[in-house]
Amino acid sequence: MAADSLTAAFLDNMLGMPLSAESLERAKYGILDFIASAFAGRADAGVLKLLRAAEEEGGRPLAPALFHGRRVSREQSALVNGFMGHALDYDDVHVEVRGHPSAVILPALIALADKGGDGRRDGRRFLGAYIVGVEAMARIALALSNDHYERGFHNTATAGALAAAIAGAYYLDWPVEQAAQALGLAATQAGGLRVHFGTETKPLHAGLAAAAAVRSLRFAEAGVQASRASLDGKLGFFAVFGAGEERARAELLREDAVPRIVKPGLWHKLYPFCSAAYFGWHAAEQIGPVPLGRIDGIEIAFTGRSDAALIHRRPENGEEGRFSIEYIAALVLSGRGIRAGDFRRVPVDDEIRAYMDRMRRVNVTDAPPGVRYTRITVRLEGGGTLEATGDKPKGSAGNPVTEEELLRKYDEVVQTPNAAAIRDRILRLDKLSDVREFIELLGAAAE
Amino acid sequence: MAADSLTAAFLDNMLGMPLSAESLERAKYGILDFIASAFAGRADAGVLKLLRAAEEEGGRPLAPALFHGRRVSREQSALVNGFMGHALDYDDVHVEVRGHPSAVILPALIALADKGGDGRRDGRRFLGAYIVGVEAMARIALALSNDHYERGFHNTATAGALAAAIAGAYYLDWPVEQAAQALGLAATQAGGLRVHFGTETKPLHAGLAAAAAVRSLRFAEAGVQASRASLDGKLGFFAVFGAGEERARAELLREDAVPRIVKPGLWHKLYPFCSAAYFGWHAAEQIGPVPLGRIDGIEIAFTGRSDAALIHRRPENGEEGRFSIEYIAALVLSGRGIRAGDFRRVPVDDEIRAYMDRMRRVNVTDAPPGVRYTRITVRLEGGGTLEATGDKPKGSAGNPVTEEELLRKYDEVVQTPNAAAIRDRILRLDKLSDVREFIELLGAAAE
């Protein structure tokens, strides 16, 4: 591989990434939150459909379908667990990823957990692989630029497949040369369209990306040749999917003192709806309930195209409502507040529709770069307005979910006899000499 | 599904496509040629790597790895057979597809052959599904426009995944609504980068696309929801990957009297190298051998960017030489001619290198649209030139490979006790009431 290959330089950087104590701590809470989110999604209809679909394909039962007491092939495990983790949009996001890192990277690592490299399957390496995966995914997404997402690609799927392949290569302790083969194979399988948002295919993307990474590592292990410089040049991944090689070089090889799992860090969620609606939720909470009869109109202003993910303006049901600021704002302004059951495939009722029908969106095009907020303005009948700006929603960098809150989410959500044992293993994962017993616990059926 | 959805209208069109007697005949010869190409590639190193990689994944043995006497899971079957068919670049191309239809569509259909719809597994339906797949792939590629390929996507992989899903839905006799789910799932898995040309990942793309189609059909069968209009609108497949919805609508819904498997028809190959080099080969053959000492320089002129697939200008070995006009022209101009062994992973020797070192490419930008040729100009030492234009290479629409030549290719290549029986089944496939015995014959180990 040419020394100046972008692909090799990036992999060299990622596979040799130092692990700080702080990043290891953040990774533990990332895993804790992913496990809670997967548990919450374990009986989602889509998970059951995928498990049914897995039956015909079959495969060697080497890896778990989380909380189902059932082992499936490595690819099926990555697929099902990726879907499960993202099913409710309850899992973490990362603003630089503009997508969901843990629901792709962790299912790929769980599927590979018993392999290890050089016989090493210790928790520190597992955590390290996850940290590297998040780092790689953020850098890849930044290199792709916002245009990639706005054109219609789902970063969780596209950047996710590459990042999970890199995380896997780290876990397996592969040299750069072999990792480049897996990365090239993942790059050529990268795909995922936002047109599917609001259907089961959105969480499926997390699973497909994780499975593509596992497949790419399997092919590379078998020696299937691919370009060793798949990220480079005019035909490389970043020229085709992103903003070109030059930008990619700057973003992929940036020297940062603080790993991205620490800063800006994972954005954990206390409610299962799309993070792009969190800013508007923050604004609505500041305004509070307003009787429908008093409202003349409601304007919701987004900086730039920060509402791109919110594809439903008049959602028909709660599942579509996960991607609707109108739905979230209506829940808050009507005084109902947000509850766990609000995001199921249940029709939106007339009162909420009436609130939504008064809303329209605008986009603020003159906000300075990097500034993101959602402003809600309620015009009242007979004059007067109520207005609030949401710029630090719970979970975002300026208002993080605390470790205590994450532990509470975990304890409230994960209702299985193994819950405490799993929590214990996660919180001392860096001390475990072998992750297999931990993975066994994750696979056991929830009762 | 909205009546005006592009996705639904296209599927309605494809699933209801009438089958002419001529298209059924062409389809038989398409299958014959694919089987010959797969047989030639059955022991390619990459095939053996994929079979090894399949072992860890395992799966229910429901479909054959062609000529290997071994059944694997449906997805693995599609993967391995797609690779096998395209391994030597010996399989058909289609100019409107700008890629390889049969190596994607037929492996997907072979993997599904025993399923059938409504218990129907007859040869006519199998042929029909293949005809529809070729039609769909050509229309999708035309809708994507040349920019898609030139940007760096491999149409065989991208258009292939969608087309094979449609072919599968036809074979399974699915209604438009269910086919739309499978198509959406295939569209969101579409990928494949030309940066891998000249490595094993190029033929792998055919297998990956076929496997993605099989996976998409499996998910749709299990009821996984996807957008029902994944080809439509600003976030749809054609807006993201192609030249937008408007162009797509025109190309996808075009009313053509003659199916594309008939006109322009499949381009069959008598030699296993990239079809983009066939025009230059035609030119070189007209010039004939020229001693190296007499040559001052050689200019190779391509219309437009018709050399985009020929990514190697100074190939290191015969495998890279599949994608090099310089290599092909050097073989002809040196007087060696083209032989089967010329496209293996064997280093290019000094004499051929010396010829190639005298060559340079130019692009003719003022040729009328739709006109394609390659012109070779040999400047001789001491003045004088030899020049020829290749515009009707063997296999292209103006100079088709005949049925006799295809039968000869088949008979020369397919050396197994079952060869005659397979040939017999293919040539009366429209009369077979059940394709399973035919698929069994294809799966049996070659001796």
Side-chain angles (χ1 to χ4, degrees):
Chain A
M1 194 166 333
D4 60 344
S5 142
L6 170 61
T7 309
F10 177 47
L11 284 170
D12 200 48
N13 208 312
M14 290 296 98
L15 299 180
M17 185 176 164
L19 306 177
S20 68
E22 197 179 2
S23 66
L24 290 166
E25 279 309 293
R26 295 312 316 147
K28 291 180 195 173
Y29 283 91
I31 294 174
L32 193 84
D33 187 47
F34 168 77
I35 294 301
S37 304
F39 191 92
R42 75 193 182 287
D44 185 83
V47 170
L48 306 180
K49 291 175 192 173
L50 289 184
L51 284 171
R52 196 181 319 136
E55 267 164 35
E56 193 183 35
E57 191 67 6
R60 266 182 227 293
L62 294 173
L66 294 174
F67 302 115
H68 277 266
R70 184 171 156 191
R71 295 172 80 83
V72 290
S73 74
R74 293 194 200 284
E75 271 185 50
Q76 300 288 358
S77 166
L79 179 83
V80 170
N81 297 334
F83 187 106
M84 195 186 297
H86 191 37
L88 306 183
D89 231 297
Y90 205 3
D91 54 314
D92 61 78
V93 283
H94 190 285
V95 289
E96 292 177 339
V97 166
R98 203 165 178 177
H100 299 263
S102 301
V104 182
I105 295 161
L106 288 172
L109 292 174
I110 289 168
L112 299 166
D114 69 301
K115 281 179 81 93
D118 288 339
R120 275 188 61 188
R121 302 184 192 91
D122 57 278
R124 190 182 158 89
R125 182 175 287 189
F126 190 92
L127 287 166
Y130 174 39
I131 292 164
V132 163
V134 173
E135 185 73 22
M137 194 161 169
R139 291 185 185 207
I140 290 165
L142 290 168
L144 285 166
S145 93
N146 274 329
D147 288 348
H148 176 75
Y149 186 89
E150 282 160 13
R151 212 198 305 168
F153 286 110
H154 186 193
N155 290 5
T156 299
T158 54
L162 281 74
I166 295 171
Y170 181 101
Y171 184 68
L172 300 173
D173 203 22
W174 282 6
V176 165
E177 186 86 8
Q178 194 175 9
Q181 299 297 296
L183 179 58
L185 289 158
T188 213
Q189 292 180 73
L193 298 173
R194 288 202 292 114
V195 72
H196 293 295
F197 277 20
T199 75
E200 288 172 347
T201 297
K202 190 199 185 224
L204 183 69
H205 285 163
L208 285 169
V214 169
R215 191 181 306 127
S216 300
L217 290 156
R218 191 160 55 79
F219 290 167
E221 192 172 38
V224 176
Q225 305 154 358
S227 164
R228 290 177 298 180
S230 59
L231 308 187
D232 290 63
K234 281 195 289 188
L235 292 178
F237 177 76
F238 289 100
V240 175
F241 279 96
E245 186 186 1
E246 201 175 329
R247 181 190 169 113
R249 189 172 287 273
E251 294 293 348
L252 296 182
L253 306 182
R254 197 178 288 288
E255 303 225 352
D256 291 301
V258 183
R260 286 171 159 80
I261 198 171
V262 173
K263 188 181 169 191
L266 298 171
W267 169 333
H268 298 291
K269 288 182 177 181
L270 298 182
Y271 294 106
F273 62 84
C274 179
S275 60
Y278 268 54
F279 295 86
W281 168 52
H282 183 212
E285 287 282 0
Q286 294 172 61
I287 294 174
V290 186
L292 189 62
R294 286 190 61 204
I295 300 175
D296 181 44
I298 300 169
E299 190 181 271
I300 308 179
F302 289 85
T303 46
R305 297 179 59 193
S306 59
D307 63 329
L310 304 173
I311 56 168
H312 293 292
R313 290 168 192 240
R314 295 294 178 268
E316 294 291 324
N317 57 56
E319 193 175 64
E320 292 182 356
R322 291 182 198 279
F323 303 97
S324 172
I325 183 57
E326 291 78 8
Y327 182 66
I328 303 296
L331 286 173
V332 176
L333 295 177
S334 67
R336 299 232 205 132
I338 296 172
R339 293 163 304 187
D342 288 330
F343 303 99
R344 303 214 176 107
R345 209 170 176 79
V346 172
V348 174
D349 67 37
D350 289 344
E351 187 192 11
I352 296 300
R353 283 178 197 270
Y355 272 91
M356 296 198 301
D357 282 344
R358 292 199 169 35
M359 299 180 191
R360 70 181 195 94
R361 295 188 197 181
V362 295
N363 292 85
V364 178
T365 55
D366 58 355
V371 170
R372 182 172 181 178
Y373 60 79
T374 301
R375 178 174 296 139
I376 298 185
T377 308
V378 181
R379 281 195 322 280
L380 301 174
E381 289 284 353
T385 59
L386 300 169
E387 184 171 281
T389 301
D391 58 354
K392 284 193 179 49
K394 190 70 187 171
S396 68
N399 187 11
V401 169
T402 64
E403 293 179 356
E404 257 179 279
E405 287 172 315
L406 280 178
L407 289 169
R408 203 179 314 131
K409 174 179 171 181
Y410 177 90
D411 290 341
E412 281 173 15
V413 168
V414 184
Q415 299 291 331
T416 163
N418 285 330
I422 292 170
R423 177 181 152 153
D424 163 75
R425 303 299 185 280
I426 293 173
L427 294 180
R428 57 188 184 81
L429 200 49
D430 50 337
K431 306 291 190 300
L432 295 187
S433 62
D434 193 319
V435 297
R436 283 180 292 182
E437 185 249 10
F438 165 58
I439 302 293
E440 289 279 333
L441 286 172
L442 294 179
E447 282 164 41
Chain B
M1 191 165 338
D4 60 345
S5 142
L6 171 60
T7 309
F10 177 47
L11 283 170
D12 198 48
N13 209 312
M14 290 295 99
L15 299 180
M17 185 176 164
L19 306 178
S20 67
E22 197 179 0
S23 66
L24 289 167
E25 278 309 293
R26 296 312 314 147
K28 291 181 196 172
Y29 284 91
I31 294 173
L32 194 84
D33 188 47
F34 168 77
I35 294 301
S37 303
F39 191 92
R42 74 193 183 285
D44 185 84
V47 171
L48 306 180
K49 290 176 194 173
L50 289 184
L51 284 171
R52 198 182 317 137
E55 269 165 34
E56 191 183 35
E57 192 67 6
R60 266 183 228 292
L62 295 174
L66 295 173
F67 301 115
H68 277 265
R70 186 172 157 191
R71 294 172 81 83
V72 290
S73 74
R74 293 194 200 283
E75 271 185 50
Q76 301 288 357
S77 166
L79 179 83
V80 169
N81 297 335
F83 187 105
M84 194 186 298
H86 191 37
L88 306 183
D89 231 296
Y90 204 4
D91 54 313
D92 60 78
V93 282
H94 189 286
V95 290
E96 292 176 338
V97 167
R98 203 167 177 175
H100 300 263
S102 301
V104 182
I105 295 160
L106 289 172
L109 292 175
I110 289 168
L112 298 166
D114 69 302
K115 280 178 84 92
D118 289 335
R120 275 190 61 189
R121 303 185 191 89
D122 57 278
R124 190 182 159 91
R125 181 173 289 191
F126 190 91
L127 287 166
Y130 174 39
I131 291 164
V132 164
V134 172
E135 185 73 21
M137 194 161 170
R139 291 185 184 207
I140 290 166
L142 290 168
L144 286 166
S145 93
N146 274 328
D147 288 347
H148 176 74
Y149 187 89
E150 283 161 11
R151 211 199 306 170
F153 286 109
H154 186 193
N155 291 5
T156 299
T158 53
L162 281 73
I166 294 170
Y170 181 101
Y171 184 68
L172 299 173
D173 202 21
W174 282 6
V176 165
E177 186 87 7
Q178 193 174 11
Q181 299 295 297
L183 179 58
L185 289 158
T188 213
Q189 293 180 73
L193 298 172
R194 288 202 294 114
V195 70
H196 292 295
F197 276 20
T199 75
E200 287 171 347
T201 298
K202 190 200 185 224
L204 183 69
H205 284 164
L208 285 170
V214 170
R215 191 181 306 127
S216 300
L217 291 157
R218 192 160 53 79
F219 290 167
E221 193 173 36
V224 176
Q225 306 155 354
S227 164
R228 291 177 296 179
S230 59
L231 309 186
D232 290 62
K234 281 195 290 187
L235 293 177
F237 178 76
F238 289 100
V240 175
F241 278 97
E245 186 186 0
E246 201 176 330
R247 181 191 170 110
R249 189 172 286 273
E251 295 292 349
L252 296 181
L253 307 182
R254 197 178 288 287
E255 302 224 355
D256 291 300
V258 184
R260 286 171 158 82
I261 199 168
V262 173
K263 188 180 169 189
L266 298 171
W267 171 331
H268 297 291
K269 289 181 177 181
L270 298 181
Y271 295 105
F273 61 85
C274 179
S275 59
Y278 268 55
F279 295 85
W281 168 52
H282 183 213
E285 288 282 0
Q286 294 172 62
I287 294 173
V290 187
L292 189 63
R294 286 190 62 205
I295 300 175
D296 182 43
I298 301 168
E299 191 180 89
I300 307 178
F302 290 86
T303 45
R305 297 179 59 191
S306 60
D307 63 329
L310 304 172
I311 56 167
H312 293 292
R313 289 166 193 242
R314 296 295 178 267
E316 295 290 325
N317 56 58
E319 192 176 65
E320 292 182 355
R322 291 182 199 279
F323 303 97
S324 173
I325 182 58
E326 291 79 7
Y327 182 67
I328 304 296
L331 287 173
V332 175
L333 295 177
S334 67
R336 298 230 205 135
I338 296 173
R339 292 163 304 188
D342 288 331
F343 303 99
R344 303 213 176 107
R345 208 170 176 80
V346 172
V348 174
D349 68 35
D350 289 344
E351 188 194 9
I352 296 299
R353 282 178 197 271
Y355 272 91
M356 296 198 300
D357 283 344
R358 291 203 171 32
M359 298 180 191
R360 69 181 194 95
R361 295 188 196 179
V362 295
N363 292 85
V364 177
T365 54
D366 58 356
V371 170
R372 182 171 180 179
Y373 60 79
T374 302
R375 179 175 295 139
I376 298 185
T377 309
V378 181
R379 283 195 320 281
L380 301 173
E381 289 283 354
T385 59
L386 300 169
E387 185 171 278
T389 300
D391 59 354
K392 285 195 178 49
K394 190 71 187 170
S396 66
N399 187 12
V401 170
T402 64
E403 294 180 356
E404 257 181 279
E405 287 171 315
L406 279 177
L407 290 168
R408 203 180 312 131
K409 174 179 170 181
Y410 178 90
D411 290 340
E412 281 173 16
V413 168
V414 184
Q415 298 291 330
T416 164
N418 285 330
I422 292 170
R423 178 181 151 152
D424 164 74
R425 303 299 184 280
I426 293 172
L427 294 180
R428 55 187 186 85
L429 200 50
D430 51 336
K431 307 291 190 299
L432 295 186
S433 62
D434 192 320
V435 297
R436 284 178 293 181
E437 185 249 10
F438 165 57
I439 302 293
E440 288 279 333
L441 286 171
L442 295 178
E447 281 165 39

mmCIF file of all heavy atoms in Angstrom, chain A residues 82-95:
data_model
loop_
_atom_site.group_PDB
_atom_site.id
_atom_site.type_symbol
_atom_site.label_atom_id
_atom_site.label_comp_id
_atom_site.label_asym_id
_atom_site.label_seq_id
_atom_site.Cartn_x
_atom_site.Cartn_y
_atom_site.Cartn_z
ATOM 1 N N GLY A 82 -28.874 -4.903 15.526
ATOM 2 C CA GLY A 82 -28.831 -3.515 15.041
ATOM 3 C C GLY A 82 -30.241 -2.952 14.936
ATOM 4 O O GLY A 82 -30.525 -1.845 15.380
ATOM 5 N N PHE A 83 -31.116 -3.761 14.379
ATOM 6 C CA PHE A 83 -32.520 -3.344 14.291
ATOM 7 C C PHE A 83 -33.087 -3.107 15.686
ATOM 8 O O PHE A 83 -33.714 -2.077 15.970
ATOM 9 C CB PHE A 83 -33.341 -4.431 13.571
ATOM 10 C CG PHE A 83 -34.759 -4.020 13.286
ATOM 11 C CD1 PHE A 83 -35.150 -3.689 12.003
ATOM 12 C CD2 PHE A 83 -35.709 -3.955 14.296
ATOM 13 C CE1 PHE A 83 -36.463 -3.303 11.727
ATOM 14 C CE2 PHE A 83 -37.013 -3.561 14.033
ATOM 15 C CZ PHE A 83 -37.393 -3.237 12.744
ATOM 16 N N MET A 84 -32.861 -4.063 16.559
ATOM 17 C CA MET A 84 -33.415 -4.009 17.917
ATOM 18 C C MET A 84 -32.958 -2.746 18.657
ATOM 19 O O MET A 84 -33.754 -2.064 19.303
ATOM 20 C CB MET A 84 -32.936 -5.261 18.671
ATOM 21 C CG MET A 84 -33.680 -5.554 19.946
ATOM 22 S SD MET A 84 -32.891 -6.951 20.819
ATOM 23 C CE MET A 84 -33.123 -8.293 19.642
ATOM 24 N N GLY A 85 -31.683 -2.436 18.537
ATOM 25 C CA GLY A 85 -31.142 -1.282 19.253
ATOM 26 C C GLY A 85 -31.714 0.037 18.765
ATOM 27 O O GLY A 85 -31.845 0.999 19.521
ATOM 28 N N HIS A 86 -32.066 0.074 17.483
ATOM 29 C CA HIS A 86 -32.530 1.328 16.883
ATOM 30 C C HIS A 86 -34.050 1.338 16.677
ATOM 31 O O HIS A 86 -34.611 2.358 16.259
ATOM 32 C CB HIS A 86 -31.791 1.529 15.560
ATOM 33 C CG HIS A 86 -31.966 2.871 14.950
ATOM 34 N ND1 HIS A 86 -32.036 4.035 15.698
ATOM 35 C CD2 HIS A 86 -32.089 3.268 13.664
ATOM 36 C CE1 HIS A 86 -32.203 5.071 14.896
ATOM 37 N NE2 HIS A 86 -32.243 4.635 13.657
ATOM 38 N N ALA A 87 -34.706 0.241 17.017
ATOM 39 C CA ALA A 87 -36.138 0.069 16.682
ATOM 40 C C ALA A 87 -36.999 1.225 17.176
ATOM 41 O O ALA A 87 -37.908 1.675 16.476
ATOM 42 C CB ALA A 87 -36.657 -1.251 17.250
ATOM 43 N N LEU A 88 -36.727 1.713 18.368
ATOM 44 C CA LEU A 88 -37.590 2.728 18.963
ATOM 45 C C LEU A 88 -36.983 4.129 18.846
ATOM 46 O O LEU A 88 -37.524 5.084 19.413
ATOM 47 C CB LEU A 88 -37.836 2.398 20.436
ATOM 48 C CG LEU A 88 -38.390 0.999 20.726
ATOM 49 C CD1 LEU A 88 -38.661 0.837 22.207
ATOM 50 C CD2 LEU A 88 -39.656 0.728 19.916
ATOM 51 N N ASP A 89 -35.834 4.252 18.155
ATOM 52 C CA ASP A 89 -35.118 5.518 18.107
ATOM 53 C C ASP A 89 -34.836 6.016 19.527
ATOM 54 O O ASP A 89 -34.907 7.210 19.816
ATOM 55 C CB ASP A 89 -35.898 6.569 17.307
ATOM 56 C CG ASP A 89 -35.021 7.213 16.238
ATOM 57 O OD1 ASP A 89 -34.038 7.862 16.596
ATOM 58 O OD2 ASP A 89 -35.309 7.023 15.054
ATOM 59 N N TYR A 90 -34.488 5.072 20.355
ATOM 60 C CA TYR A 90 -34.263 5.332 21.775
ATOM 61 C C TYR A 90 -32.756 5.325 22.051
ATOM 62 O O TYR A 90 -32.308 5.680 23.134
ATOM 63 C CB TYR A 90 -34.936 4.192 22.542
ATOM 64 C CG TYR A 90 -35.363 4.459 23.955
ATOM 65 C CD1 TYR A 90 -35.230 5.709 24.554
ATOM 66 C CD2 TYR A 90 -35.926 3.425 24.711
ATOM 67 C CE1 TYR A 90 -35.647 5.914 25.851
ATOM 68 C CE2 TYR A 90 -36.347 3.629 26.005
ATOM 69 C CZ TYR A 90 -36.197 4.870 26.575
ATOM 70 O OH TYR A 90 -36.614 5.064 27.863
ATOM 71 N N ASP A 91 -31.979 4.886 21.084
ATOM 72 C CA ASP A 91 -30.532 4.731 21.239
ATOM 73 C C ASP A 91 -29.826 6.061 21.000
ATOM 74 O O ASP A 91 -30.410 7.022 20.505
ATOM 75 C CB ASP A 91 -30.035 3.668 20.241
ATOM 76 C CG ASP A 91 -30.450 3.968 18.806
ATOM 77 O OD1 ASP A 91 -31.645 4.308 18.573
ATOM 78 O OD2 ASP A 91 -29.607 3.909 17.914
ATOM 79 N N ASP A 92 -28.522 6.062 21.303
ATOM 80 C CA ASP A 92 -27.765 7.305 21.194
ATOM 81 C C ASP A 92 -27.610 7.792 19.760
ATOM 82 O O ASP A 92 -27.703 7.019 18.804
ATOM 83 C CB ASP A 92 -26.368 7.127 21.813
ATOM 84 C CG ASP A 92 -25.570 6.059 21.111
ATOM 85 O OD1 ASP A 92 -25.033 6.320 20.022
ATOM 86 O OD2 ASP A 92 -25.486 4.935 21.642
ATOM 87 N N VAL A 93 -27.393 9.089 19.656
ATOM 88 C CA VAL A 93 -26.944 9.704 18.408
ATOM 89 C C VAL A 93 -25.637 10.436 18.705
ATOM 90 O O VAL A 93 -25.202 10.507 19.849
ATOM 91 C CB VAL A 93 -27.962 10.734 17.848
ATOM 92 C CG1 VAL A 93 -29.119 10.055 17.188
ATOM 93 C CG2 VAL A 93 -28.442 11.679 18.917
ATOM 94 N N HIS A 94 -25.033 10.950 17.641
ATOM 95 C CA HIS A 94 -23.784 11.714 17.785
ATOM 96 C C HIS A 94 -23.869 12.803 16.728
ATOM 97 O O HIS A 94 -24.094 12.510 15.557
ATOM 98 C CB HIS A 94 -22.592 10.776 17.538
ATOM 99 C CG HIS A 94 -21.258 11.375 17.873
ATOM 100 N ND1 HIS A 94 -20.662 12.313 17.074
ATOM 101 C CD2 HIS A 94 -20.415 11.167 18.932
ATOM 102 C CE1 HIS A 94 -19.486 12.656 17.615
ATOM 103 N NE2 HIS A 94 -19.327 11.975 18.745
ATOM 104 N N VAL A 95 -23.740 14.052 17.163
ATOM 105 C CA VAL A 95 -24.010 15.142 16.219
ATOM 106 C C VAL A 95 -23.042 15.146 15.035
ATOM 107 O O VAL A 95 -23.427 15.517 13.926
ATOM 108 C CB VAL A 95 -23.991 16.544 16.891
ATOM 109 C CG1 VAL A 95 -25.213 16.710 17.793
ATOM 110 C CG2 VAL A 95 -22.709 16.796 17.660
#
